[in-house]
Amino acid sequence: MLWFFVVRMAAPRSSSCSVQYCHLLLLVAFVALCSASSSSHGDRSPLSVVSRIAFGSCSNQSAPQPIWDAIVDFDPQLFVWLGDNIYGDNKRPFRVLGKERTIGPWKNVPRFFPSTEQEMRRRYQLAKSNPGYSKLRQTAQVIGTWDDHDYGLNDAGKEFSGKNTSQRLLLDFLDEADDSPRRQQAGVYTSYLYGPKGKQVKVILLDTRYHRDPLTSDGTILGDSQWEWLEKELNGPESEITIIASSIQVISNLSATTGPLFHTESWGRFPKERERSGIFFISGDVHFGEITRYDCGGQYPLYDITSSGLTQAIEKVVPPFFAFAVRAIAWLTPTTMRVSSVKCRYKSCTYAQPNFGAIQIDWDVVPQKIKVEVRGVNGDPAIAVDILLSDLQPSNTNTLEGACQHGRHCSLEIDLPWFWRHSFAFTFLALVSVLIIAFILFAYTIVSVSKKFLLKFKID
């Protein structure tokens, strides 16, 4: 799941950069949020100045959720759900043998399967009744989109037969009005405009599920109707900041460097879609937080702020003594897009513990500034970047050419040299091989010592 925020500017249809996908990098993510459609969210005038936005994804309704206290303390005016707002599908255990085999070339059942409508509704009710989330809803407006697990099935796209039921349940969870256009259309995409002239924030929520073609098809994520709608939104009335929220990462494509061992869903797996447009993004889905940047996709740098997840995070599913290994792997995995900063808590500039995204807009300073952060359960920043609004204005073409030739954030992961791109896989396989050899030598040593001991015992 992903989140972004952007200054809205028209982007060129072509670029002089030599990188393969050097057009504007599409859309998605910065969920900032919220419509005033429900009194339970508090009545905020559409002209209210929005300066504090929180966002998050990947929240298991049955897990402890202490992070809401930190979000409430941040005191956001808006909160945006980026997807996996509940875990509505079910999964079978890993099984190589037996009647139901879920992994291996001989598997005979899918690991994930949908829930009934009644069970999905029950899980949404459980999420909505959480005391921390209920407190947030009293002080902030809440809006959002979905990802696969609240859509109804892991990694599902347009082929999922239960999507219309899931759409109704999500909009009920978000307190969407009965006459809302979102209840009549195919998909949950929508947009919001906040603030007075000169301090306007536009929030565009994408739907990366309802119309998405199968993974690896290089088809479409949004579908023709949503693309047409998005072009109208981006060419609509001007706003100082445009936030595009996508459930999956837009800029980063770690699958290019972690494959074939494992893959993550991202816009990078649909390269033709990434050439459509470019802006500033926020995202989720991957169970860790990071900030990525691409300098050669348009006339200004494109940022993608990923926050994932509120309860689901990589370091939560490994023993505590493996946390260092997780951070080391993140640091060693090749990436050309991740923003490195002295403000990062860890050297990898990723954060694989429960987290949420925080945006603070300082409208009153000159030049105007935006602070974007990934924060942990205690509310302290783990990753932070300060951005000037002036940096998100179109730049001189010659300056862009120089940045594309020499900039750190101008080569996509897929364009890395073959050996370097797959160095993670080579390192992983080498490590596994060493462990296997060490285990064999250890077992051989134990057997040899045991034989000598038994032989000596018999002689004695």
Side-chain angles (χ1 to χ4, degrees):
M1 324 81 212
L2 312 152
W3 318 328
F4 299 124
F5 112 149
V6 196
V7 169
R8 182 204 166 291
M9 296 300 296
R13 291 295 181 183
S14 62
S15 170
S16 58
C17 299
S18 59
V19 181
Q20 181 180 4
Y21 305 120
C22 216
H23 291 88
L24 294 184
L25 228 115
L26 39 325
L27 27 104
V28 344
F30 204 84
V31 5
L33 326 53
C34 237
S35 113
S37 60
S38 171
S39 61
S40 65
H41 296 338
D43 292 328
R44 282 189 201 278
S45 165
L47 296 181
S48 297
V49 176
V50 172
S51 59
R52 299 174 72 85
I53 300 167
F55 54 92
S57 66
C58 305
S59 178
N60 189 322
Q61 68 285 344
S62 300
Q65 300 183 5
I67 199 166
W68 292 116
D69 292 337
I71 296 174
V72 170
D73 288 344
F74 176 62
D75 192 25
Q77 298 155 291
L78 306 171
F79 179 82
V80 183
W81 284 106
L82 290 178
D84 290 344
N85 312 320
I86 63 167
Y87 279 70
D89 54 353
N90 303 293
K91 61 182 178 181
R92 300 178 176 92
F94 285 115
R95 283 190 183 138
V96 180
L97 303 174
K99 185 177 179 180
E100 292 185 340
R101 302 180 297 275
T102 56
I103 59 174
W106 45 79
K107 76 174 183 178
N108 60 357
V109 294
R111 184 159 186 251
F112 292 88
F113 60 97
S115 297
T116 64
E117 177 179 347
Q118 292 73 22
E119 180 59 22
M120 285 277 286
R121 186 180 300 277
R122 187 193 70 80
R123 296 180 188 186
Y124 269 123
Q125 289 173 346
L126 182 60
K128 200 168 187 176
S129 63
N130 179 280
Y133 179 59
S134 297
K135 188 174 181 180
L136 174 70
R137 293 175 63 243
Q138 295 173 7
T139 59
Q141 296 181 348
V142 178
I143 62 173
T145 185
W146 58 16
D147 199 33
D148 51 350
H149 294 291
D150 44 352
Y151 182 61
L153 186 62
N154 182 58
D155 289 350
K158 66 181 183 182
E159 75 285 350
F160 179 56
S161 61
K163 57 187 178 183
N164 291 328
T165 298
S166 296
Q167 178 169 341
R168 172 165 47 84
L169 294 176
L170 171 69
L171 298 180
D172 289 346
F173 172 70
L174 295 172
D175 295 319
E176 197 76 24
D178 292 340
D179 60 352
S180 167
R182 299 180 85 185
R183 293 188 181 271
Q184 312 302 322
Q185 68 187 26
V188 300
Y189 56 89
T190 191
S191 68
Y192 303 85
L193 185 64
Y194 300 99
K197 288 290 186 180
K199 296 182 179 180
Q200 286 188 327
V201 176
K202 186 170 189 176
V203 180
I204 297 175
L205 304 180
L206 301 179
D207 184 334
T208 64
R209 293 293 163 186
Y210 196 99
H211 302 281
R212 199 213 68 193
D213 285 330
L215 289 172
T216 72
S217 67
D218 200 6
T220 182
I221 295 179
L222 301 185
D224 292 341
S225 59
Q226 189 174 179
W227 268 117
E228 292 175 3
W229 166 84
L230 179 60
E231 290 177 2
K232 291 179 181 178
E233 289 294 321
L234 294 177
N235 290 318
E238 296 285 345
S239 59
E240 282 62 44
I241 296 173
T242 297
I243 295 172
I244 304 179
S246 165
S247 68
I248 58 175
Q249 289 186 303
V250 178
I251 292 179
S252 178
N253 180 21
L254 286 180
S255 292
T257 55
T258 59
L261 296 178
F262 64 87
H263 297 275
T264 60
E265 290 188 270
S266 68
W267 285 82
R269 299 183 73 178
F270 293 81
K272 291 181 181 177
E273 291 283 81
R274 301 208 327 175
E275 298 177 9
R276 291 274 191 152
S277 69
I279 304 180
F280 199 161
F281 317 91
I282 59 172
S283 59
D285 175 62
V286 291
H287 294 191
F288 66 87
E290 69 172 348
I291 298 175
T292 52
R293 170 177 173 169
Y294 185 44
D295 288 351
C296 296
Q299 292 183 299
Y300 51 81
L302 302 176
Y303 287 89
D304 184 351
I305 297 88
T306 299
S307 173
S308 175
L310 295 171
T311 67
Q312 307 303 99
I314 295 174
E315 288 191 23
K316 284 197 67 177
V317 299
V318 300
F321 54 83
F322 280 144
F324 174 78
V326 170
R327 297 164 196 166
I329 289 172
W331 179 55
L332 293 172
T333 301
T335 174
T336 57
M337 302 298 175
R338 186 176 301 144
V339 175
S340 298
S341 168
V342 294
K343 297 182 179 180
C344 297
R345 186 174 302 179
Y346 302 122
K347 192 170 184 178
S348 66
C349 278
T350 62
Y351 190 68
Q353 300 172 32
N355 62 84
F356 71 96
I359 302 166
Q360 300 177 70
I361 306 169
D362 194 338
W363 295 105
D364 298 325
V365 300
V366 179
Q368 294 169 326
K369 296 179 180 180
I370 304 164
K371 177 187 289 292
V372 294
E373 299 170 320
V374 175
R375 295 189 174 196
V377 172
N378 59 4
D380 294 333
I383 310 170
V385 171
D386 295 328
I387 304 170
L388 298 178
L389 280 181
S390 58
D391 290 340
L392 301 178
Q393 302 295 328
S395 301
N396 179 276
T397 301
N398 293 331
T399 302
L400 282 175
E401 289 178 355
C404 289
Q405 293 174 3
H406 307 292
R408 182 180 183 277
H409 303 287
C410 280
S411 296
L412 301 178
E413 283 95 348
I414 196 67
D415 295 323
L416 288 171
W418 181 85
F419 182 85
W420 177 241
R421 179 156 54 94
H422 293 288
S423 60
F424 172 81
F426 295 145
T427 302
F428 179 83
L429 293 175
L431 179 61
V432 170
S433 299
V434 169
L435 292 175
I436 291 175
I437 292 172
F439 177 79
I440 292 173
L441 291 175
F442 177 76
Y444 176 78
T445 302
I446 294 295
V447 171
S448 298
V449 171
S450 299
K451 285 183 177 180
K452 290 180 180 180
F453 177 79
L454 290 173
L455 181 61
K456 182 178 180 180
F457 179 79
K458 287 180 180 181
I459 293 175
D460 292 342

Short mmCIF file of all heavy atoms in Angstrom, two decimals, residues 109-147:
data_model
loop_
_atom_site.label_atom_id
_atom_site.label_comp_id
_atom_site.label_asym_id
_atom_site.label_seq_id
_atom_site.Cartn_x
_atom_site.Cartn_y
_atom_site.Cartn_z
N VAL A 109 -3.81 -26.10 -3.23
CA VAL A 109 -4.81 -25.11 -2.79
C VAL A 109 -4.11 -23.76 -2.63
O VAL A 109 -2.93 -23.71 -2.28
CB VAL A 109 -5.48 -25.50 -1.46
CG1 VAL A 109 -6.32 -26.76 -1.62
CG2 VAL A 109 -4.45 -25.68 -0.35
N PRO A 110 -4.80 -22.66 -2.89
CA PRO A 110 -4.19 -21.34 -2.65
C PRO A 110 -4.05 -21.08 -1.17
O PRO A 110 -4.86 -21.56 -0.36
CB PRO A 110 -5.18 -20.37 -3.30
CG PRO A 110 -6.49 -21.10 -3.26
CD PRO A 110 -6.16 -22.55 -3.44
N ARG A 111 -3.02 -20.36 -0.80
CA ARG A 111 -2.82 -20.08 0.63
C ARG A 111 -3.87 -19.10 1.14
O ARG A 111 -4.33 -19.21 2.27
CB ARG A 111 -1.41 -19.53 0.86
CG ARG A 111 -1.13 -19.32 2.34
CD ARG A 111 0.34 -19.26 2.67
NE ARG A 111 0.51 -19.20 4.11
CZ ARG A 111 0.93 -18.13 4.78
NH1 ARG A 111 1.26 -17.03 4.13
NH2 ARG A 111 1.05 -18.16 6.10
N PHE A 112 -4.27 -18.13 0.33
CA PHE A 112 -5.25 -17.13 0.76
C PHE A 112 -6.61 -17.44 0.15
O PHE A 112 -6.70 -17.86 -1.00
CB PHE A 112 -4.79 -15.73 0.34
CG PHE A 112 -3.57 -15.24 1.08
CD1 PHE A 112 -2.30 -15.53 0.62
CD2 PHE A 112 -3.70 -14.50 2.25
CE1 PHE A 112 -1.17 -15.09 1.30
CE2 PHE A 112 -2.58 -14.05 2.93
CZ PHE A 112 -1.32 -14.35 2.45
N PHE A 113 -7.67 -17.17 0.91
CA PHE A 113 -9.03 -17.33 0.40
C PHE A 113 -9.93 -16.31 1.06
O PHE A 113 -9.67 -15.85 2.18
CB PHE A 113 -9.53 -18.77 0.63
CG PHE A 113 -9.60 -19.20 2.07
CD1 PHE A 113 -10.79 -19.13 2.78
CD2 PHE A 113 -8.46 -19.68 2.73
CE1 PHE A 113 -10.85 -19.53 4.11
CE2 PHE A 113 -8.52 -20.09 4.05
CZ PHE A 113 -9.72 -20.02 4.74
N PRO A 114 -11.02 -15.89 0.38
CA PRO A 114 -11.86 -14.80 0.87
C PRO A 114 -12.68 -15.18 2.10
O PRO A 114 -12.94 -16.35 2.36
CB PRO A 114 -12.77 -14.48 -0.32
CG PRO A 114 -12.18 -15.18 -1.49
CD PRO A 114 -11.42 -16.35 -0.95
N SER A 115 -13.11 -14.16 2.83
CA SER A 115 -14.05 -14.32 3.93
C SER A 115 -15.48 -14.12 3.41
O SER A 115 -15.69 -13.61 2.30
CB SER A 115 -13.79 -13.30 5.03
OG SER A 115 -12.53 -13.46 5.61
N THR A 116 -16.45 -14.48 4.22
CA THR A 116 -17.84 -14.17 3.90
C THR A 116 -18.10 -12.69 4.14
O THR A 116 -17.33 -12.00 4.83
CB THR A 116 -18.80 -15.00 4.77
OG1 THR A 116 -18.62 -14.61 6.15
CG2 THR A 116 -18.51 -16.49 4.63
N GLU A 117 -19.18 -12.18 3.59
CA GLU A 117 -19.55 -10.79 3.81
C GLU A 117 -19.76 -10.51 5.30
O GLU A 117 -19.34 -9.47 5.81
CB GLU A 117 -20.82 -10.44 3.04
CG GLU A 117 -21.29 -9.02 3.27
CD GLU A 117 -22.54 -8.67 2.49
OE1 GLU A 117 -22.92 -9.44 1.59
OE2 GLU A 117 -23.15 -7.62 2.79
N GLN A 118 -20.38 -11.44 6.00
CA GLN A 118 -20.64 -11.25 7.43
C GLN A 118 -19.33 -11.16 8.22
O GLN A 118 -19.21 -10.33 9.12
CB GLN A 118 -21.49 -12.41 7.96
CG GLN A 118 -22.91 -12.45 7.43
CD GLN A 118 -23.01 -12.89 5.98
OE1 GLN A 118 -22.08 -13.55 5.45
NE2 GLN A 118 -24.10 -12.53 5.32
N GLU A 119 -18.35 -11.98 7.85
CA GLU A 119 -17.08 -11.93 8.56
C GLU A 119 -16.31 -10.65 8.24
O GLU A 119 -15.69 -10.04 9.11
CB GLU A 119 -16.23 -13.16 8.20
CG GLU A 119 -14.88 -13.22 8.88
CD GLU A 119 -14.94 -13.22 10.38
OE1 GLU A 119 -16.00 -13.58 10.95
OE2 GLU A 119 -13.93 -12.86 11.03
N MET A 120 -16.36 -10.22 6.98
CA MET A 120 -15.71 -8.94 6.62
C MET A 120 -16.34 -7.79 7.42
O MET A 120 -15.63 -6.93 7.95
CB MET A 120 -15.87 -8.68 5.12
CG MET A 120 -14.98 -9.51 4.22
SD MET A 120 -13.31 -8.80 4.04
CE MET A 120 -13.66 -7.40 2.96
N ARG A 121 -17.65 -7.78 7.51
CA ARG A 121 -18.33 -6.72 8.25
C ARG A 121 -17.93 -6.75 9.72
O ARG A 121 -17.71 -5.71 10.34
CB ARG A 121 -19.84 -6.87 8.09
CG ARG A 121 -20.63 -5.73 8.71
CD ARG A 121 -22.14 -5.94 8.53
NE ARG A 121 -22.48 -6.01 7.13
CZ ARG A 121 -22.67 -4.95 6.36
NH1 ARG A 121 -22.52 -3.74 6.86
NH2 ARG A 121 -23.00 -5.10 5.10
N ARG A 122 -17.84 -7.96 10.29
CA ARG A 122 -17.45 -8.08 11.70
C ARG A 122 -16.05 -7.53 11.92
O ARG A 122 -15.80 -6.84 12.93
CB ARG A 122 -17.51 -9.55 12.13
CG ARG A 122 -17.28 -9.75 13.63
CD ARG A 122 -17.03 -11.18 13.98
NE ARG A 122 -15.72 -11.63 13.49
CZ ARG A 122 -14.56 -11.37 14.11
NH1 ARG A 122 -14.54 -10.64 15.22
NH2 ARG A 122 -13.43 -11.81 13.61
N ARG A 123 -15.14 -7.78 10.99
CA ARG A 123 -13.77 -7.30 11.14
C ARG A 123 -13.70 -5.78 11.01
O ARG A 123 -12.93 -5.12 11.72
CB ARG A 123 -12.87 -7.99 10.12
CG ARG A 123 -12.77 -9.50 10.36
CD ARG A 123 -11.87 -10.20 9.36
NE ARG A 123 -11.97 -11.65 9.53
CZ ARG A 123 -11.22 -12.54 8.88
NH1 ARG A 123 -10.31 -12.14 8.00
NH2 ARG A 123 -11.39 -13.83 9.08
N TYR A 124 -14.50 -5.21 10.12
CA TYR A 124 -14.55 -3.75 10.03
C TYR A 124 -15.10 -3.15 11.34
O TYR A 124 -14.61 -2.12 11.81
CB TYR A 124 -15.43 -3.32 8.86
CG TYR A 124 -14.68 -3.12 7.57
CD1 TYR A 124 -15.03 -3.83 6.41
CD2 TYR A 124 -13.63 -2.21 7.47
CE1 TYR A 124 -14.35 -3.64 5.22
CE2 TYR A 124 -12.94 -2.01 6.28
CZ TYR A 124 -13.32 -2.72 5.16
OH TYR A 124 -12.63 -2.53 3.98
N GLN A 125 -16.11 -3.76 11.90
CA GLN A 125 -16.68 -3.25 13.15
C GLN A 125 -15.66 -3.31 14.27
O GLN A 125 -15.58 -2.40 15.11
CB GLN A 125 -17.93 -4.07 13.50
CG GLN A 125 -19.11 -3.80 12.58
CD GLN A 125 -20.28 -4.74 12.82
OE1 GLN A 125 -20.16 -5.76 13.49
NE2 GLN A 125 -21.43 -4.39 12.26
N LEU A 126 -14.88 -4.39 14.29
CA LEU A 126 -13.84 -4.51 15.31
C LEU A 126 -12.80 -3.40 15.16
O LEU A 126 -12.36 -2.79 16.14
CB LEU A 126 -13.17 -5.88 15.20
CG LEU A 126 -12.08 -6.21 16.22
CD1 LEU A 126 -12.63 -6.16 17.64
CD2 LEU A 126 -11.48 -7.58 15.93
N ALA A 127 -12.40 -3.12 13.91
CA ALA A 127 -11.42 -2.05 13.66
C ALA A 127 -11.98 -0.69 14.05
O ALA A 127 -11.29 0.14 14.66
CB ALA A 127 -11.02 -2.06 12.18
N LYS A 128 -13.23 -0.46 13.72
CA LYS A 128 -13.83 0.85 13.96
C LYS A 128 -14.06 1.13 15.44
O LYS A 128 -14.07 2.28 15.88
CB LYS A 128 -15.15 0.94 13.20
CG LYS A 128 -15.66 2.36 12.97
CD LYS A 128 -16.79 2.35 11.96
CE LYS A 128 -17.21 3.75 11.59
NZ LYS A 128 -18.25 3.74 10.54
N SER A 129 -14.25 0.06 16.21
CA SER A 129 -14.52 0.23 17.63
C SER A 129 -13.27 0.32 18.49
O SER A 129 -13.37 0.50 19.71
CB SER A 129 -15.38 -0.94 18.13
OG SER A 129 -14.68 -2.17 18.01
N ASN A 130 -12.09 0.22 17.89
CA ASN A 130 -10.86 0.34 18.65
C ASN A 130 -10.83 1.69 19.36
O ASN A 130 -11.05 2.74 18.74
CB ASN A 130 -9.65 0.21 17.72
CG ASN A 130 -8.33 0.35 18.45
OD1 ASN A 130 -7.88 1.46 18.75
ND2 ASN A 130 -7.70 -0.77 18.74
N PRO A 131 -10.58 1.73 20.66
CA PRO A 131 -10.64 2.99 21.42
C PRO A 131 -9.73 4.09 20.86
O PRO A 131 -10.13 5.26 20.80
CB PRO A 131 -10.23 2.58 22.83
CG PRO A 131 -10.57 1.12 22.91
CD PRO A 131 -10.32 0.57 21.55
N GLY A 132 -8.50 3.71 20.48
CA GLY A 132 -7.58 4.72 19.94
C GLY A 132 -8.07 5.30 18.64
O GLY A 132 -8.01 6.53 18.42
N TYR A 133 -8.55 4.45 17.74
CA TYR A 133 -9.06 4.93 16.45
C TYR A 133 -10.33 5.75 16.65
O TYR A 133 -10.54 6.78 15.99
CB TYR A 133 -9.32 3.75 15.52
CG TYR A 133 -9.88 4.15 14.18
CD1 TYR A 133 -9.19 5.01 13.34
CD2 TYR A 133 -11.11 3.65 13.73
CE1 TYR A 133 -9.70 5.39 12.10
CE2 TYR A 133 -11.62 4.01 12.49
CZ TYR A 133 -10.92 4.88 11.68
OH TYR A 133 -11.43 5.24 10.45
N SER A 134 -11.19 5.33 17.58
CA SER A 134 -12.41 6.09 17.87
C SER A 134 -12.07 7.49 18.35
O SER A 134 -12.74 8.47 17.99
CB SER A 134 -13.24 5.36 18.93
OG SER A 134 -13.67 4.09 18.45
N LYS A 135 -11.03 7.60 19.16
CA LYS A 135 -10.60 8.92 19.65
C LYS A 135 -10.10 9.79 18.50
O LYS A 135 -10.40 10.99 18.45
CB LYS A 135 -9.52 8.75 20.71
CG LYS A 135 -9.13 10.05 21.42
CD LYS A 135 -8.15 9.77 22.55
CE LYS A 135 -7.79 11.06 23.27
NZ LYS A 135 -6.83 10.80 24.40
N LEU A 136 -9.35 9.20 17.58
CA LEU A 136 -8.87 9.95 16.43
C LEU A 136 -10.03 10.48 15.60
O LEU A 136 -10.01 11.64 15.14
CB LEU A 136 -7.97 9.07 15.57
CG LEU A 136 -7.49 9.70 14.25
CD1 LEU A 136 -6.49 10.82 14.52
CD2 LEU A 136 -6.86 8.64 13.34
N ARG A 137 -11.06 9.68 15.40
CA ARG A 137 -12.20 10.07 14.57
C ARG A 137 -12.97 11.25 15.16
O ARG A 137 -13.70 11.94 14.45
CB ARG A 137 -13.14 8.89 14.35
CG ARG A 137 -12.52 7.78 13.52
CD ARG A 137 -13.42 6.56 13.41
NE ARG A 137 -14.66 6.87 12.73
CZ ARG A 137 -15.87 6.80 13.27
NH1 ARG A 137 -16.00 6.43 14.55
NH2 ARG A 137 -16.95 7.08 12.57
N GLN A 138 -12.81 11.48 16.46
CA GLN A 138 -13.48 12.61 17.09
C GLN A 138 -12.80 13.93 16.81
O GLN A 138 -13.42 15.00 16.94
CB GLN A 138 -13.55 12.37 18.60
CG GLN A 138 -14.42 11.19 19.00
CD GLN A 138 -14.34 10.89 20.49
OE1 GLN A 138 -13.73 11.65 21.26
NE2 GLN A 138 -14.93 9.79 20.91
N THR A 139 -11.53 13.90 16.43
CA THR A 139 -10.76 15.13 16.25
C THR A 139 -10.25 15.35 14.84
O THR A 139 -9.82 16.45 14.50
CB THR A 139 -9.55 15.13 17.20
OG1 THR A 139 -8.73 13.99 16.93
CG2 THR A 139 -10.01 15.08 18.66
N ALA A 140 -10.27 14.30 14.00
CA ALA A 140 -9.72 14.43 12.65
C ALA A 140 -10.70 13.88 11.63
O ALA A 140 -11.51 13.00 11.93
CB ALA A 140 -8.40 13.66 12.54
N GLN A 141 -10.67 14.43 10.47
CA GLN A 141 -11.42 13.87 9.35
C GLN A 141 -10.66 12.66 8.82
O GLN A 141 -9.43 12.65 8.78
CB GLN A 141 -11.59 14.92 8.25
CG GLN A 141 -12.43 16.11 8.69
CD GLN A 141 -12.61 17.13 7.60
OE1 GLN A 141 -11.96 17.07 6.57
NE2 GLN A 141 -13.50 18.09 7.83
N VAL A 142 -11.40 11.65 8.41
CA VAL A 142 -10.80 10.40 7.96
C VAL A 142 -11.30 10.06 6.57
O VAL A 142 -12.52 10.04 6.32
CB VAL A 142 -11.12 9.25 8.92
CG1 VAL A 142 -10.54 7.93 8.40
CG2 VAL A 142 -10.60 9.54 10.31
N ILE A 143 -10.39 9.79 5.66
CA ILE A 143 -10.74 9.32 4.32
C ILE A 143 -9.79 8.17 3.98
O ILE A 143 -8.86 7.88 4.75
CB ILE A 143 -10.63 10.42 3.25
CG1 ILE A 143 -9.20 10.93 3.16
CG2 ILE A 143 -11.62 11.54 3.55
CD1 ILE A 143 -8.97 11.91 2.03
N GLY A 144 -9.98 7.52 2.85
CA GLY A 144 -9.04 6.46 2.52
C GLY A 144 -9.40 5.67 1.28
O GLY A 144 -10.48 5.83 0.69
N THR A 145 -8.48 4.81 0.91
CA THR A 145 -8.67 3.87 -0.19
C THR A 145 -8.36 2.48 0.35
O THR A 145 -8.21 2.30 1.56
CB THR A 145 -7.76 4.23 -1.38
OG1 THR A 145 -8.05 3.36 -2.49
CG2 THR A 145 -6.28 4.14 -1.03
N TRP A 146 -8.28 1.49 -0.51
CA TRP A 146 -8.04 0.12 -0.05
C TRP A 146 -6.82 -0.48 -0.73
O TRP A 146 -6.27 0.07 -1.68
CB TRP A 146 -9.26 -0.76 -0.29
CG TRP A 146 -9.74 -0.87 -1.73
CD1 TRP A 146 -9.07 -0.53 -2.87
CD2 TRP A 146 -11.02 -1.35 -2.15
NE1 TRP A 146 -9.84 -0.78 -3.98
CE2 TRP A 146 -11.04 -1.29 -3.57
CE3 TRP A 146 -12.13 -1.85 -1.50
CZ2 TRP A 146 -12.16 -1.69 -4.32
CZ3 TRP A 146 -13.23 -2.25 -2.25
CH2 TRP A 146 -13.23 -2.17 -3.63
N ASP A 147 -6.39 -1.66 -0.22
CA ASP A 147 -5.40 -2.49 -0.88
C ASP A 147 -5.96 -3.91 -0.94
O ASP A 147 -7.17 -4.08 -0.84
CB ASP A 147 -4.05 -2.42 -0.16
CG ASP A 147 -2.90 -2.89 -1.05
OD1 ASP A 147 -2.97 -2.68 -2.27
OD2 ASP A 147 -1.95 -3.48 -0.52
#
